Amino acid sequence: MSKREAERDFLYMKYFVTMFFFVVAVGLVTYAHKDGLKYALFQVDGEATIGIVEKIHMLRSGDYFLSYRFTDQQGERHVKSRLVNRYYLHFPEIGGEIGVTFSRRYPDVADLTVLVPYLKPAFWLMTVGSAVIFLLAVSSIFSVLQLVRHRKADRYY
């Protein structure tokens, strides 16, 4: 194998490895974006209020599927449902009060206050993943440009 072929193979390998990590990063950001955006909205303009538990469905695992309602600052009523791990919420009762955090700008974006701190890892995964996607995209562009230059130079060899 000549030096020129080895350089070309290295450029292709660099491009495909970059694309592999790009796809992985896109998958992670896609996985985390819902909770990550929710956490970001709560940090920017979140407001805590009291909600009322409307329905409880206990699963075999001991976890709960809750339906709850709350009223935002405009007086509009919102009803949400959420799967809650039994370790985060102990023995909820129908008609009982529960803490709810919602976005003032988008009041339909809401979650149980007890669960908000657990959204933070998704926020960081989304943020860091987005930065990695950007860096890998730039690296990919440079790799493609190197491949094009290499192919043009091959015409003279």
Side-chain angles (χ1 to χ4, degrees):
M1 177 183 279
S2 72
K3 181 181 176 191
R4 193 81 183 151
E5 288 174 332
E7 287 175 0
R8 187 185 66 229
D9 289 346
F10 171 76
L11 289 174
Y12 278 115
M13 182 58 73
K14 185 172 119 179
Y15 176 74
F16 286 117
V17 167
T18 301
M19 285 292 96
F20 172 77
F21 286 111
F22 182 85
V23 169
V24 169
V26 167
L28 290 174
V29 168
T30 302
Y31 171 75
H33 88 279
K34 182 180 175 187
D35 288 342
L37 287 175
K38 192 184 294 187
Y39 183 80
L41 283 172
F42 292 160
Q43 294 305 306
V44 171
D45 72 344
E47 185 172 315
T49 188
I50 300 295
I52 305 296
V53 177
E54 290 192 330
K55 292 180 189 173
I56 302 170
H57 180 73
M58 190 164 181
L59 305 175
R60 284 187 195 173
S61 63
D63 297 341
Y64 306 104
F65 190 77
L66 285 192
S67 289
Y68 58 94
R69 72 177 190 273
F70 68 96
T71 306
D72 64 17
Q73 77 275 13
Q74 307 291 327
E76 218 175 296
R77 183 176 164 200
H78 300 272
V79 178
K80 304 294 266 177
S81 296
R82 179 77 153 103
L83 179 65
V84 182
N85 189 299
R86 68 179 176 260
Y87 298 114
Y88 300 139
L89 195 61
H90 300 289
F91 307 113
E93 298 175 0
I94 294 177
E97 294 182 343
I98 194 163
V100 176
T101 301
F102 67 95
S103 169
R104 285 186 291 249
R105 187 173 298 158
Y106 305 104
D108 201 42
V109 177
D111 211 341
L112 301 177
T113 302
V114 71
L115 299 178
V116 171
Y118 299 102
L119 300 175
K120 192 174 187 176
F123 169 76
W124 285 111
L125 184 63
M126 180 189 73
T127 304
V128 171
S130 297
V132 167
I133 288 171
F134 175 75
L135 293 174
L136 291 173
V138 169
S139 173
S140 176
I141 289 169
F142 282 119
S143 293
V144 168
L145 292 175
Q146 282 180 317
L147 279 167
V148 168
R149 273 188 263 132
H150 196 272
R151 282 185 172 235
K152 282 182 182 177
D154 278 349
R155 291 181 190 160
Y156 300 108
Y157 283 99

